[in-house]
């Protein structure tokens, strides 16, 4: 016989209940009551707690509550958004001059007549423009091949140095030229590799013929690449060292236990960790193919001649802005922007094909 339980009711009466059998076919009355209470609205007619949770968005909080929670962070971003809007997006409206015969002195934007795509036609018919475009891409490819691997190699070298003090000193020395202006960088190279520089004088003192690399048109693309390496290689080292710091050291220990040497560990552990960063920076670098350093090239343009040193930015400045042909300059700027966007999309597509995320993830 099953035991009987005596349960007191609210009216002071007692009831006898039998214990529910333990089986998989049902539950006791309390469980059913709790389940029914979760499904039924509350006393005030409002849905229960579980129902309110079910009606909330997938993030667990409504948009209104999220705005109230993050209102301090949103207010902190307002000045930055205002500056971005003021200096980056509102000036885009000035691109309308690319479709005008723009007169900056008398008529202005509102009074200058529209000429449609005449300025773009002038660009495409200008053979000098295409020569400058090809020269810009040649300098970019030279820098991409010779300059881009240097920060990776320095970061890998510093990562193998066990002494933190030595690593910090080397990193500081390599990073210091990033703070130099291009005027100072060009001056240092002039004093070193110019016709009256230290290297040429040392060669003459030892019976050799001196040289002047600063005025050699054929060497110009390598000259600007070496200047960029000396100035900005340290900046790229920081990015790759940050990526290397996130690598789990247990992977190196496991590879060493398996018999992998230093080169094997670098190839199979370090390089896979750097691949996403390398792909991202490579895509961004390709997107800025036409954005070479304007100040660096302009400072050395007269020494080697426009034929070897002219890039798209200096050509736009010389042909468009300096002569007052702002419509031509604006049209060339729009062409440059569209070309850069196409380069970014193409490089990002290649990154997706290689299994990397690139600038944005593939849906």
């Amino acid at each position: 016989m099953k035991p009987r339980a005596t349960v007191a009711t609210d009216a002071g009466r007692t009831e006898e209940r039998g214990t529910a059998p333990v089986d998989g076919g049902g539950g006791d009355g309390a469980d059913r009551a709790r389940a029914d209470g979760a499904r039924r609205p509350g006393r005030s007619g409002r849905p229960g707690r579980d129902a309110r949770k079910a009606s909330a968005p997938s993030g667990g909080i409504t948009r209104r509550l999220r705005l109230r929670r993050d209102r301090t962070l949103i207010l902190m971003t307002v000045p930055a958004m205002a500056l971005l809007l003021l200096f980056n997006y509102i000036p885009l409206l000035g691109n309308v001059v690319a479709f005008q015969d723009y007169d900056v002195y008398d008529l202005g934007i509102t009074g200058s007549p529209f000429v449609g795509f005449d300025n773009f036609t002038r660009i495409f018919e200008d053979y000098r423009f295409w020569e400058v475009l090809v020269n810009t891409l040649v300098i970019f490819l030279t820098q991409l091949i010779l300059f881009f691997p240097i920060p990776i190699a320095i970061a890998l070298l510093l990562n193998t140095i066990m002494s933190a003090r030595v690593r910090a000193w080397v990193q500081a020395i390599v990073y210091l030229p990033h703070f130099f202006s291009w005027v100072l960088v060009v001056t240092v190279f002039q004093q070193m590799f110019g016709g009256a520089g230290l290297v040429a004088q040392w060669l003459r003192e030892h019976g050799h013929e001196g040289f002047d690399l600063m005025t050699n048109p054929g060497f110009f693309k390598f000259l600007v690449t070496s200047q960029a390496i000396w100035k900005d290689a340290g900046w790229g080292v920081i990015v790759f060292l940050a990526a290397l710091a996130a690598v789990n050291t247990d992977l190196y220990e496991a590879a060493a236990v398996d018999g992998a040497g230093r080169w094997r560990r670098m190839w199979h552990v370090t390089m896979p960790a750097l691949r996403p960063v390398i792909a991202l920076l490579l895509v961004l670098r390709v997107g800025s193919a036409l954005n070479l350093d304007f100040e660096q090239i302009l400072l050395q343009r007269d020494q080697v001649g426009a034929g070897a040193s002219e890039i798209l930015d200096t050509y736009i400045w010389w042909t468009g802005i300096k002569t007052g042909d702002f419509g031509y300059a604006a049209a060339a700027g729009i062409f440059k922007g569209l070309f850069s966007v196409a380069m970014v999309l193409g490089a990002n597509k290649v990154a997706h094909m290689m299994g990397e995320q690139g600038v944005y993830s593939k849906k």
Side-chain angles (χ1 to χ4, degrees):
M1 178 177 290
K2 298 180 181 179
R4 313 293 293 181
T6 302
V7 181
T9 62
D10 294 339
R13 293 178 285 105
T14 60
E15 294 180 357
E16 289 185 352
R17 293 181 181 176
T19 58
V22 180
D23 56 13
D28 58 10
D31 291 336
R32 288 194 298 271
R34 284 193 295 269
D36 294 337
R39 290 193 297 265
R40 290 195 300 267
R43 295 179 180 178
S44 61
R46 293 174 298 181
R49 180 179 301 177
D50 294 340
R52 290 196 299 269
K53 288 183 178 179
S55 63
S58 59
I61 185 174
T62 61
R63 185 177 292 104
R64 181 178 180 182
L65 293 178
R66 190 181 296 112
L67 291 176
R68 290 182 59 185
R69 181 193 64 185
D70 300 335
R71 61 181 181 274
T72 303
L73 297 177
I74 295 174
L75 290 175
M76 292 174 62
T77 60
V78 168
M81 296 298 295
L83 292 175
L84 184 67
L85 180 66
L86 181 62
F87 293 103
N88 288 82
Y89 288 97
I90 293 181
L92 291 178
L93 300 176
N95 285 329
V96 69
V97 303
F99 306 93
Q100 293 179 332
D101 186 9
Y102 182 61
D103 187 355
V104 64
Y105 301 105
D106 299 328
L107 301 178
I109 294 180
T110 57
S112 298
F114 279 87
V115 294
F117 292 93
D118 288 352
N119 290 321
F120 294 92
T121 304
R122 291 170 54 197
I123 289 176
F124 297 143
E125 293 178 352
D126 188 359
Y127 73 95
R128 179 59 181 161
F129 175 84
W130 296 107
E131 291 179 355
V132 171
L133 181 62
V134 171
N135 189 59
T136 305
L137 293 176
V138 168
I139 296 177
F140 161 73
L141 290 176
T142 304
Q143 293 188 359
L144 184 66
I145 296 173
L146 299 180
F147 171 53
F148 190 79
I150 298 299
I152 303 175
I154 297 177
L156 293 175
L157 178 63
L158 292 178
N159 192 53
T160 59
I161 299 177
M162 301 302 295
S163 175
R165 179 175 298 181
V166 175
R167 185 166 58 248
W169 273 101
V170 174
Q171 184 177 349
I173 293 173
V174 175
Y175 182 59
L176 182 61
H178 177 73
F179 297 99
F180 297 164
S181 66
W182 278 116
V183 176
L184 180 58
V185 172
V186 174
T187 302
V188 170
F189 271 75
Q190 179 68 40
Q191 296 298 321
M192 292 294 298
F193 304 107
L198 295 178
V199 177
Q201 292 181 9
W202 184 86
L203 290 175
R204 294 189 186 98
E205 291 175 357
H206 290 78
H208 301 283
E209 184 180 358
F211 60 86
D212 187 2
L213 296 181
M214 303 298 294
T215 58
N216 188 348
F219 191 76
F220 180 76
K221 53 182 175 293
F222 302 104
L223 175 66
V224 295
T225 302
S226 60
Q227 293 171 353
I229 292 174
W230 185 66
K231 185 178 187 297
D232 291 328
W235 174 258
V237 169
I238 294 179
V239 178
F240 293 110
L241 283 178
L244 290 175
V247 181
N248 190 358
T249 56
D250 294 340
L251 298 177
Y252 292 104
E253 297 176 359
V257 171
D258 291 339
R262 177 174 299 180
W263 289 102
R264 286 288 185 179
R265 293 196 298 268
M266 182 187 69
W267 184 256
H268 294 287
V269 178
T270 306
M271 294 305 296
L274 290 179
R275 279 186 58 184
V277 181
I278 293 174
L280 176 61
L281 295 181
L282 188 60
V283 170
L284 296 177
R285 184 68 177 174
V286 170
S288 61
L290 302 183
N291 292 328
L292 301 178
D293 290 289
F294 172 78
E295 184 180 1
Q296 177 194 14
I297 304 298
L298 186 63
L299 289 171
Q300 305 172 88
R301 181 176 182 272
D302 295 335
Q303 297 180 1
V304 297
S309 64
E310 196 80 281
I311 62 174
L312 193 60
D313 286 339
T314 58
Y315 181 73
I316 293 173
W317 172 78
W318 186 269
T319 307
I321 298 177
K322 192 171 182 180
T323 60
D325 194 354
F326 291 94
Y328 184 93
I334 292 177
F335 172 83
K336 174 184 172 183
L338 295 177
F339 184 87
S340 300
V341 170
M343 293 289 288
V344 168
L345 295 178
N348 201 73
K349 182 67 175 178
V350 174
H352 288 168
M353 295 173 60
M354 297 176 61
E356 301 297 335
Q357 180 175 350
V359 177
Y360 56 88
S361 60
K362 183 178 181 181
K363 295 182 179 180

